[in-house]
Amino acid sequence: MATIIHQYYKGEFEGIKVLVQINPESLRGVELVIDTANNIKKTKRVFDTDIYDDLAADNFIESSALEFNLYLKGLK
């Protein structure tokens, strides 16, 4: 079994933060949407092969596992 290193991206739209975790092999992942009141909505996602182009078009930037997990656990 191979070790999978997830990829992380973040974007912000009108004060709403979106963080994305992607398994680059299966294109499955998790999306976190954090509203202006710091409420977090977690959604499991299956991405298509254009996900990286879509993220770039929406001006997402690379992020870190630490930042993603801090939001996921409600610590940020």
Side-chain angles (χ1 to χ4, degrees), residues 45-59:
R45 302 279 310 264
V46 177
F47 302 103
D48 62 24
T49 55
D50 294 329
I51 184 59
Y52 298 106
D53 293 333
D54 295 343
L55 290 170
D58 289 335
N59 296 314

Side-chain angles (χ1 to χ4, degrees), residues 7-13 16-22 29-35 40-43 45 47 55 60-72 76:
Q7 297 172 318
Y8 298 88
Y9 296 88
K10 67 180 176 180
E12 190 165 331
F13 309 94
I16 306 293
K17 294 178 185 151
V18 180
L19 287 89
V20 180
Q21 175 194 61
I22 302 172
V30 176
E31 177 183 76
L32 301 178
V33 178
I34 301 99
D35 67 19
I40 300 171
K41 179 181 176 189
K42 175 184 166 187
T43 307
R45 302 279 310 264
F47 302 103
L55 290 170
F60 276 72
I61 59 172
E62 287 189 42
S63 184
S64 70
L66 177 60
E67 181 176 19
F68 182 90
N69 284 293
L70 285 173
Y71 277 107
L72 181 64
K76 185 153 181 163

